[in-house]
Amino acid sequence: MFFASDNWAGAADPIAESLSRHAKGMSPAYGTSDLDRRLEQRFNELFETELEVFFVGTGTAANSLALSAVNRPGGFVLCHRDAHLIEDECGAPEFFTSGARLAPITGDLGRVCPRALQKQLRRFDPNFVHHGQPMAVSITQATEVGTVYDVDQLNEISGIVHDYGLPLHMDGARFANALVHLDLTPAEMTWKAGVDVLSFGGTKNGCWCAEAVIFFRPELAKQMPFIRKRAAQLFSKTRFIAAQFHAYLDDDLWLGLAKHANEMATRLAEGIEKSSTGELAWKNQTNEVFVILPKSEAERLQDAGARFYPWPAPNDPNLELPDGHSMYRLVTSFCTEPGEIEQFLKLLG
Ligand SMILES: Cc1ncc(COP(=O)(O)O)c(C=O)c1O
Ligand SMILES: C[C@H](O)[C@H](N)C(=O)O
């Protein structure tokens, strides 16, 4: 019963097989192999547009280097107050941008509130040098609390961002989970909705270690080859990231893996709703389920072998935690088995 994180899941079989298949023989290094070239073309086709794509090893690297590419002196990135950028990247975005700051924006259930974003942007006076200047807005899709922005919400945010002449970055560590939930095409959920730079994640959805930074405005990518190399994220054997993504995208494997993860989460959430012990903090939209449990119950489940962690309850005014209760995040993945869900729900009672 492993629900701690989809980062715990291994690699899907076709991806592991592709890795070992491409391990043989010699091949040009540092992203110059035929396999790399073919994959770059594959991403252009997948997103139905001319783009620049750079492979890196972690989601934190993808986010930090994407923001470095659009950085400005004294720059601010505006992002949700619970964004992974702020909460879980250990200062990497600030470090790799040589000191850009992260301006937290409120918003319910992990989504940036457009009004709050506009209010914060209005604070920046281009003639008042002391504050610095905004350099990007970053949103997470699916968000850190498993919710998603629909197309209207994406367009509303990107409209505000572009009114200020800024690029919109999307942290897509769980891009596939959001895409299948919304049943959109990759283009509809990104550049057609105003996204300029995307961290496209594969690691949490069946890849071993595969992330891509995608620029839908190629002019923003001019410095990226040097930014990536300076950050020690240019793998000599980039073909191994390419090999993973080839299998990942082949026959829409990536969509099937994400669909399974989301379906398992929905099955878990429906069981929790019927239980007498747990209460859903909010309905899951992707592969992350947030549940309010008595702490004693959580300990009993963990003692019985269920792996999951407490999750800091967002400062959501509508969310009251009863005494002795806490909020927990349960994450499913491409390899979550239905039996695990049944076992957990039986234990929950
Ligand atoms: C929303 C989100 N963004 C970015 C990351 C960073 O990925 P990594 O841990 O590979 O650096 C994570 C990690 O799981 C994440 O949950
Ligand atoms: C929280 C941790 O940093 C990781 N991003 C995860 O989602 O498990």
Side-chain angles (χ1 to χ4, degrees), residues 4-8 60 84 87-89 144 173-174 204 288 309 311 329 331:
S5 173
D6 40 10
N7 284 296
W8 286 35
T60 297
H84 198 267
E87 289 293 314
D88 284 313
E89 301 194 359
E144 287 76 7
R174 295 183 179 85
K204 289 126 190 65
E288 297 185 81
Y309 295 126
W311 190 260
R329 179 182 81 152
V331 189

PDB file of all heavy atoms in Angstrom, residues 4-8 60 84 87-89 144 173-174 204 288 309 311 329 331, ligand 2:
ATOM      1  N   ALA A   4       2.893   7.138  -0.788  1.00  0.00           N
ATOM      2  CA  ALA A   4       3.698   8.289  -0.343  1.00  0.00           C
ATOM      3  C   ALA A   4       3.915   9.288  -1.471  1.00  0.00           C
ATOM      4  O   ALA A   4       3.843  10.502  -1.273  1.00  0.00           O
ATOM      5  CB  ALA A   4       5.037   7.789   0.194  1.00  0.00           C
ATOM      6  N   SER A   5       4.199   8.770  -2.658  1.00  0.00           N
ATOM      7  CA  SER A   5       4.454   9.671  -3.800  1.00  0.00           C
ATOM      8  C   SER A   5       4.595   8.836  -5.070  1.00  0.00           C
ATOM      9  O   SER A   5       5.068   7.703  -5.017  1.00  0.00           O
ATOM     10  CB  SER A   5       5.754  10.456  -3.578  1.00  0.00           C
ATOM     11  OG  SER A   5       6.065  11.201  -4.749  1.00  0.00           O
ATOM     12  N   ASP A   6       4.244   9.420  -6.197  1.00  0.00           N
ATOM     13  CA  ASP A   6       4.476   8.718  -7.471  1.00  0.00           C
ATOM     14  C   ASP A   6       5.963   8.733  -7.818  1.00  0.00           C
ATOM     15  O   ASP A   6       6.401   8.065  -8.749  1.00  0.00           O
ATOM     16  CB  ASP A   6       3.632   9.331  -8.602  1.00  0.00           C
ATOM     17  CG  ASP A   6       3.575  10.846  -8.549  1.00  0.00           C
ATOM     18  OD1 ASP A   6       4.326  11.450  -7.758  1.00  0.00           O
ATOM     19  OD2 ASP A   6       2.767  11.447  -9.275  1.00  0.00           O
ATOM     20  N   ASN A   7       6.748   9.475  -7.036  1.00  0.00           N
ATOM     21  CA  ASN A   7       8.205   9.409  -7.206  1.00  0.00           C
ATOM     22  C   ASN A   7       8.759   8.064  -6.740  1.00  0.00           C
ATOM     23  O   ASN A   7       9.897   7.725  -7.046  1.00  0.00           O
ATOM     24  CB  ASN A   7       8.883  10.530  -6.399  1.00  0.00           C
ATOM     25  CG  ASN A   7       8.736  11.867  -7.099  1.00  0.00           C
ATOM     26  OD1 ASN A   7       9.238  12.075  -8.195  1.00  0.00           O
ATOM     27  ND2 ASN A   7       7.998  12.783  -6.487  1.00  0.00           N
ATOM     28  N   TRP A   8       7.955   7.340  -5.992  1.00  0.00           N
ATOM     29  CA  TRP A   8       8.401   6.016  -5.507  1.00  0.00           C
ATOM     30  C   TRP A   8       8.244   4.957  -6.589  1.00  0.00           C
ATOM     31  O   TRP A   8       8.837   3.887  -6.511  1.00  0.00           O
ATOM     32  CB  TRP A   8       7.575   5.582  -4.297  1.00  0.00           C
ATOM     33  CG  TRP A   8       7.879   6.280  -3.015  1.00  0.00           C
ATOM     34  CD1 TRP A   8       8.250   7.583  -2.848  1.00  0.00           C
ATOM     35  CD2 TRP A   8       7.823   5.720  -1.700  1.00  0.00           C
ATOM     36  NE1 TRP A   8       8.434   7.877  -1.517  1.00  0.00           N
ATOM     37  CE2 TRP A   8       8.171   6.745  -0.784  1.00  0.00           C
ATOM     38  CE3 TRP A   8       7.510   4.450  -1.194  1.00  0.00           C
ATOM     39  CZ2 TRP A   8       8.218   6.542   0.587  1.00  0.00           C
ATOM     40  CZ3 TRP A   8       7.552   4.248   0.187  1.00  0.00           C
ATOM     41  CH2 TRP A   8       7.908   5.288   1.059  1.00  0.00           C
ATOM     42  N   THR A  60      12.977  19.700 -10.672  1.00  0.00           N
ATOM     43  CA  THR A  60      13.519  20.929 -10.089  1.00  0.00           C
ATOM     44  C   THR A  60      14.456  21.617 -11.077  1.00  0.00           C
ATOM     45  O   THR A  60      14.424  22.841 -11.245  1.00  0.00           O
ATOM     46  CB  THR A  60      14.259  20.593  -8.781  1.00  0.00           C
ATOM     47  OG1 THR A  60      13.313  20.051  -7.843  1.00  0.00           O
ATOM     48  CG2 THR A  60      14.931  21.807  -8.170  1.00  0.00           C
ATOM     49  N   HIS A  84       5.536  24.223  -5.668  1.00  0.00           N
ATOM     50  CA  HIS A  84       6.728  23.399  -5.441  1.00  0.00           C
ATOM     51  C   HIS A  84       7.980  24.275  -5.495  1.00  0.00           C
ATOM     52  O   HIS A  84       8.931  24.065  -4.750  1.00  0.00           O
ATOM     53  CB  HIS A  84       6.798  22.309  -6.519  1.00  0.00           C
ATOM     54  CG  HIS A  84       7.693  21.174  -6.165  1.00  0.00           C
ATOM     55  ND1 HIS A  84       9.002  21.143  -6.540  1.00  0.00           N
ATOM     56  CD2 HIS A  84       7.464  20.038  -5.451  1.00  0.00           C
ATOM     57  CE1 HIS A  84       9.560  20.026  -6.087  1.00  0.00           C
ATOM     58  NE2 HIS A  84       8.654  19.354  -5.427  1.00  0.00           N
ATOM     59  N   GLU A  87       8.034  25.649  -1.989  1.00  0.00           N
ATOM     60  CA  GLU A  87       7.998  24.692  -0.871  1.00  0.00           C
ATOM     61  C   GLU A  87       9.068  23.605  -0.924  1.00  0.00           C
ATOM     62  O   GLU A  87       9.524  23.139   0.111  1.00  0.00           O
ATOM     63  CB  GLU A  87       6.626  23.993  -0.850  1.00  0.00           C
ATOM     64  CG  GLU A  87       5.493  24.902  -0.423  1.00  0.00           C
ATOM     65  CD  GLU A  87       5.619  25.315   1.052  1.00  0.00           C
ATOM     66  OE1 GLU A  87       5.887  24.432   1.897  1.00  0.00           O
ATOM     67  OE2 GLU A  87       5.524  26.522   1.334  1.00  0.00           O
ATOM     68  N   ASP A  88       9.418  23.135  -2.107  1.00  0.00           N
ATOM     69  CA  ASP A  88      10.179  21.873  -2.172  1.00  0.00           C
ATOM     70  C   ASP A  88      11.368  21.879  -3.124  1.00  0.00           C
ATOM     71  O   ASP A  88      11.798  20.809  -3.543  1.00  0.00           O
ATOM     72  CB  ASP A  88       9.236  20.739  -2.596  1.00  0.00           C
ATOM     73  CG  ASP A  88       8.334  20.307  -1.446  1.00  0.00           C
ATOM     74  OD1 ASP A  88       8.858  20.122  -0.335  1.00  0.00           O
ATOM     75  OD2 ASP A  88       7.125  20.204  -1.663  1.00  0.00           O
ATOM     76  N   GLU A  89      11.898  23.059  -3.468  1.00  0.00           N
ATOM     77  CA  GLU A  89      13.059  23.040  -4.379  1.00  0.00           C
ATOM     78  C   GLU A  89      14.300  23.637  -3.730  1.00  0.00           C
ATOM     79  O   GLU A  89      15.302  23.918  -4.369  1.00  0.00           O
ATOM     80  CB  GLU A  89      12.690  23.703  -5.726  1.00  0.00           C
ATOM     81  CG  GLU A  89      11.527  22.946  -6.351  1.00  0.00           C
ATOM     82  CD  GLU A  89      11.229  23.222  -7.794  1.00  0.00           C
ATOM     83  OE1 GLU A  89      11.920  24.064  -8.424  1.00  0.00           O
ATOM     84  OE2 GLU A  89      10.286  22.592  -8.320  1.00  0.00           O
ATOM     85  N   GLU A 144       0.071  21.264  -7.005  1.00  0.00           N
ATOM     86  CA  GLU A 144       0.698  20.517  -5.895  1.00  0.00           C
ATOM     87  C   GLU A 144      -0.374  19.813  -5.045  1.00  0.00           C
ATOM     88  O   GLU A 144      -0.055  18.931  -4.262  1.00  0.00           O
ATOM     89  CB  GLU A 144       1.489  21.475  -5.011  1.00  0.00           C
ATOM     90  CG  GLU A 144       2.787  21.972  -5.639  1.00  0.00           C
ATOM     91  CD  GLU A 144       2.579  23.040  -6.713  1.00  0.00           C
ATOM     92  OE1 GLU A 144       1.457  23.527  -6.910  1.00  0.00           O
ATOM     93  OE2 GLU A 144       3.591  23.392  -7.360  1.00  0.00           O
ATOM     94  N   ALA A 173       5.186  18.832 -13.917  1.00  0.00           N
ATOM     95  CA  ALA A 173       5.728  17.574 -13.357  1.00  0.00           C
ATOM     96  C   ALA A 173       4.699  16.449 -13.506  1.00  0.00           C
ATOM     97  O   ALA A 173       5.045  15.284 -13.677  1.00  0.00           O
ATOM     98  CB  ALA A 173       6.107  17.775 -11.892  1.00  0.00           C
ATOM     99  N   ARG A 174       3.405  16.813 -13.412  1.00  0.00           N
ATOM    100  CA  ARG A 174       2.318  15.842 -13.597  1.00  0.00           C
ATOM    101  C   ARG A 174       1.416  16.278 -14.754  1.00  0.00           C
ATOM    102  O   ARG A 174       0.191  16.262 -14.678  1.00  0.00           O
ATOM    103  CB  ARG A 174       1.525  15.662 -12.298  1.00  0.00           C
ATOM    104  CG  ARG A 174       2.372  15.055 -11.211  1.00  0.00           C
ATOM    105  CD  ARG A 174       1.637  14.778  -9.919  1.00  0.00           C
ATOM    106  NE  ARG A 174       2.558  14.177  -8.975  1.00  0.00           N
ATOM    107  CZ  ARG A 174       3.371  14.886  -8.185  1.00  0.00           C
ATOM    108  NH1 ARG A 174       3.356  16.209  -8.237  1.00  0.00           N
ATOM    109  NH2 ARG A 174       4.197  14.284  -7.357  1.00  0.00           N
ATOM    110  N   LYS A 204       7.504  11.176 -12.928  1.00  0.00           N
ATOM    111  CA  LYS A 204       6.493  10.687 -11.990  1.00  0.00           C
ATOM    112  C   LYS A 204       5.454   9.788 -12.640  1.00  0.00           C
ATOM    113  O   LYS A 204       4.567   9.283 -11.980  1.00  0.00           O
ATOM    114  CB  LYS A 204       5.788  11.893 -11.307  1.00  0.00           C
ATOM    115  CG  LYS A 204       6.673  12.620 -10.331  1.00  0.00           C
ATOM    116  CD  LYS A 204       6.736  14.090 -10.639  1.00  0.00           C
ATOM    117  CE  LYS A 204       7.793  14.788  -9.833  1.00  0.00           C
ATOM    118  NZ  LYS A 204       9.176  14.372 -10.120  1.00  0.00           N
ATOM    119  N   GLU A 288      -3.720  12.441  -7.009  1.00  0.00           N
ATOM    120  CA  GLU A 288      -3.415  12.793  -5.614  1.00  0.00           C
ATOM    121  C   GLU A 288      -4.726  12.953  -4.848  1.00  0.00           C
ATOM    122  O   GLU A 288      -5.609  13.718  -5.272  1.00  0.00           O
ATOM    123  CB  GLU A 288      -2.595  14.086  -5.557  1.00  0.00           C
ATOM    124  CG  GLU A 288      -1.230  13.943  -6.230  1.00  0.00           C
ATOM    125  CD  GLU A 288      -0.381  15.181  -6.075  1.00  0.00           C
ATOM    126  OE1 GLU A 288       0.232  15.344  -5.018  1.00  0.00           O
ATOM    127  OE2 GLU A 288      -0.337  15.983  -7.025  1.00  0.00           O
ATOM    128  N   TYR A 309       2.020  10.274   3.888  1.00  0.00           N
ATOM    129  CA  TYR A 309       2.530  11.309   4.796  1.00  0.00           C
ATOM    130  C   TYR A 309       1.461  12.353   5.120  1.00  0.00           C
ATOM    131  O   TYR A 309       0.560  12.583   4.304  1.00  0.00           O
ATOM    132  CB  TYR A 309       3.704  12.044   4.126  1.00  0.00           C
ATOM    133  CG  TYR A 309       4.916  11.183   3.883  1.00  0.00           C
ATOM    134  CD1 TYR A 309       5.468  11.084   2.595  1.00  0.00           C
ATOM    135  CD2 TYR A 309       5.500  10.454   4.922  1.00  0.00           C
ATOM    136  CE1 TYR A 309       6.586  10.286   2.359  1.00  0.00           C
ATOM    137  CE2 TYR A 309       6.615   9.649   4.687  1.00  0.00           C
ATOM    138  CZ  TYR A 309       7.160   9.568   3.420  1.00  0.00           C
ATOM    139  OH  TYR A 309       8.243   8.778   3.183  1.00  0.00           O
ATOM    140  N   TRP A 311       0.109  16.124   5.201  1.00  0.00           N
ATOM    141  CA  TRP A 311       0.323  17.172   4.211  1.00  0.00           C
ATOM    142  C   TRP A 311      -0.084  18.509   4.836  1.00  0.00           C
ATOM    143  O   TRP A 311      -1.158  18.583   5.430  1.00  0.00           O
ATOM    144  CB  TRP A 311      -0.521  16.908   2.959  1.00  0.00           C
ATOM    145  CG  TRP A 311      -0.180  17.810   1.819  1.00  0.00           C
ATOM    146  CD1 TRP A 311      -0.851  18.932   1.417  1.00  0.00           C
ATOM    147  CD2 TRP A 311       0.943  17.680   0.928  1.00  0.00           C
ATOM    148  NE1 TRP A 311      -0.223  19.495   0.331  1.00  0.00           N
ATOM    149  CE2 TRP A 311       0.884  18.761   0.017  1.00  0.00           C
ATOM    150  CE3 TRP A 311       1.989  16.762   0.818  1.00  0.00           C
ATOM    151  CZ2 TRP A 311       1.828  18.931  -0.985  1.00  0.00           C
ATOM    152  CZ3 TRP A 311       2.927  16.932  -0.175  1.00  0.00           C
ATOM    153  CH2 TRP A 311       2.852  18.013  -1.075  1.00  0.00           C
ATOM    154  N   ARG A 329      -1.750  13.209   2.333  1.00  0.00           N
ATOM    155  CA  ARG A 329      -1.756  13.105   0.873  1.00  0.00           C
ATOM    156  C   ARG A 329      -1.524  11.653   0.500  1.00  0.00           C
ATOM    157  O   ARG A 329      -0.561  11.044   0.964  1.00  0.00           O
ATOM    158  CB  ARG A 329      -0.644  13.983   0.267  1.00  0.00           C
ATOM    159  CG  ARG A 329      -0.566  13.912  -1.242  1.00  0.00           C
ATOM    160  CD  ARG A 329       0.559  14.730  -1.840  1.00  0.00           C
ATOM    161  NE  ARG A 329       1.850  14.039  -1.764  1.00  0.00           N
ATOM    162  CZ  ARG A 329       2.837  14.247  -2.641  1.00  0.00           C
ATOM    163  NH1 ARG A 329       2.691  15.101  -3.625  1.00  0.00           N
ATOM    164  NH2 ARG A 329       3.999  13.611  -2.521  1.00  0.00           N
ATOM    165  N   VAL A 331      -0.928   9.369  -2.841  1.00  0.00           N
ATOM    166  CA  VAL A 331      -0.630   9.509  -4.260  1.00  0.00           C
ATOM    167  C   VAL A 331      -0.607   8.133  -4.923  1.00  0.00           C
ATOM    168  O   VAL A 331       0.020   7.203  -4.414  1.00  0.00           O
ATOM    169  CB  VAL A 331       0.750  10.183  -4.474  1.00  0.00           C
ATOM    170  CG1 VAL A 331       0.970  10.531  -5.941  1.00  0.00           C
ATOM    171  CG2 VAL A 331       0.868  11.451  -3.625  1.00  0.00           C
TER     172      VAL A 331
HETATM  173  C1  LIG B   2       6.772  16.603  -2.291  1.00  0.00           C
HETATM  174  C2  LIG B   2       8.003  16.101  -2.964  1.00  0.00           C
HETATM  175  O1  LIG B   2       8.871  17.156  -3.099  1.00  0.00           O
HETATM  176  C3  LIG B   2       7.711  15.590  -4.326  1.00  0.00           C
HETATM  177  N1  LIG B   2       7.586  16.754  -5.207  1.00  0.00           N
HETATM  178  C4  LIG B   2       6.433  14.769  -4.349  1.00  0.00           C
HETATM  179  O2  LIG B   2       5.451  15.243  -4.944  1.00  0.00           O
HETATM  180  O3  LIG B   2       6.428  13.689  -3.794  1.00  0.00           O
END
